[in-house]
Amino acid sequence: MKGMENITCSDTTITAILVDGGFYRRRAYLAFGDKSPEERATELYTYCMRHLRETIGGQEVRHRLYRIFIIVALRLKI
């Protein structure tokens, strides 16, 4: 519909986000440089929130966040 572009609406999709903490820390350091833990956490939160928005049929849709799960697993040396 003309004039209806970029209108934000919410839907009923509830999203959980799973982050590999070790991988994220390494990649974020290479991409964005050294930051304090608080700055890195804010950066990750902002990044996750951007993934809750998408455009469907020219209309911006925001999904609801259930939870952000951060997994930190140790590497096995075999």
Side-chain angles (χ1 to χ4, degrees):
M1 295 171 61
K2 192 168 184 136
M4 296 292 284
E5 304 86 23
N6 298 324
I7 294 178
T8 303
C9 69
S10 297
D11 71 349
T12 58
T13 301
I14 301 173
T15 304
I17 298 174
L18 177 63
V19 177
D20 180 338
F23 179 79
Y24 181 78
R25 284 181 55 230
R26 287 190 303 276
R27 295 298 296 174
Y29 178 79
L30 292 173
F32 308 117
D34 193 24
K35 292 187 177 182
S36 71
E38 184 176 318
E39 291 171 321
R40 190 67 74 202
T42 301
E43 170 190 275
L44 177 59
Y45 177 77
T46 302
Y47 184 73
C48 289
M49 297 308 287
R50 283 196 325 243
H51 277 77
L52 297 176
R53 292 187 304 244
E54 67 177 318
T55 302
I56 300 174
Q59 187 173 22
E60 184 178 311
V61 178
R62 293 182 186 226
H63 303 293
R64 292 178 21 200
L65 178 64
Y66 168 66
R67 186 169 290 165
I68 300 171
F69 294 97
I70 299 177
I71 304 299
V72 180
L74 299 175
R75 289 185 181 182
L76 293 177
K77 294 184 180 183
I78 298 176

